[in-house]
Amino acid sequence: AGGGAHSQNGAGGETQELATRNAVRTHILAGEVDRAVAACEATFPELLAARPLAKAYLYCQEYIEMVRGKRRTEAVDFARRVLAPLLYPSAPQTDEGGAAREYVQMVIGLLAYPDPEDSPLSDLIQPAHRKQVADIVNTAMLEASGQDGKSALQRLLEQLIVSHDTLRQLQGGRGEVLNLNDYFAQK
């Protein structure tokens, strides 16, 4: 899908992409989503069209920032103009597109609560959610430039889990189930 500057400009493109990824992350973490969108579109022009989940998370974060800032009228207008088309895409739905649609439906519900910070959707307002959005968008940018969106540690943990599950299956389902949370809690 949409190749970024890396595929066209070699090392200089990689430097530009790294700078863009850092800028996008910084803007998202600061709640400056409009600036993150502009930076992303400048270096990865096809990214948001090709990656519905990244697009949904990014635009929903802009909506969340409006709700956080108590700009309800602006949020309603934004939902109509930008988020509603994400609910009813013209292209056939992929698994990623379906997940994007479900996410948009959930996020739009923030306005149903007079105090979103004390609602069942309050996690969306928390700073940790900004980090999640930044990670999703960063992964999409990495993959768009032909790089692996997962770190070496993520790949290693996936391999560990698959290996452990395979070993349990070979032993007829006997043995302890691998639970990394329990493992790290002991350390």
Side-chain angles (χ1 to χ4, degrees):
H6 169 72
S7 59
Q8 300 164 356
N9 299 331
E14 288 179 28
T15 303
Q16 174 62 37
E17 286 181 359
L18 178 60
T20 298
R21 289 194 349 261
N22 284 334
V24 168
R25 181 176 194 79
T26 299
H27 291 313
I28 291 171
L29 294 176
E32 302 166 342
V33 183
D34 54 339
R35 295 178 75 183
V37 170
C40 185
E41 288 178 341
T43 304
F44 301 93
E46 298 96 20
L47 178 74
L48 298 180
R51 298 298 301 268
L53 194 59
K55 180 178 185 176
Y57 269 81
L58 196 54
Y59 286 136
C60 282
Q61 188 61 37
E62 191 164 356
Y63 171 84
I64 290 166
E65 298 300 338
M66 291 173 196
V67 171
R68 175 186 281 124
K70 311 286 188 221
R71 301 183 333 247
R72 296 176 77 79
T73 303
E74 189 178 347
V76 168
D77 180 57
F78 184 83
R80 284 187 187 133
R81 285 184 304 101
V82 178
L83 300 182
L86 300 178
L87 292 173
Y88 308 103
S90 56
Q93 283 286 350
T94 61
D95 287 345
E96 184 175 330
R101 183 176 181 194
E102 287 178 24
Y103 177 71
V104 172
Q105 287 173 329
M106 177 186 65
V107 170
I108 288 176
L110 272 173
L111 274 182
Y113 301 97
D115 188 8
E117 290 86 2
D118 291 327
S119 75
L121 300 176
S122 64
D123 287 352
L124 298 173
I125 304 287
Q126 302 305 316
H129 188 263
R130 287 179 177 168
K131 183 184 177 309
Q132 180 185 8
V133 172
D135 289 345
I136 288 168
V137 174
N138 186 58
T139 297
M141 288 186 288
L142 282 168
E143 291 172 351
S145 63
Q147 298 177 49
D148 192 347
K150 295 179 182 176
S151 71
L153 180 59
Q154 286 173 307
R155 288 190 306 274
L156 184 62
L157 284 173
E158 287 174 355
Q159 184 177 2
L160 172 66
I161 291 167
V162 168
S163 298
H164 188 271
D165 288 347
T166 301
L167 182 60
R168 283 194 73 233
Q169 287 174 358
L170 291 172
Q171 296 175 342
R174 292 187 307 273
E176 205 173 308
V177 174
L178 179 64
N179 185 332
L180 293 176
N181 289 330
D182 291 344
Y183 175 78
F184 288 116
Q186 296 172 2
K187 301 296 172 197

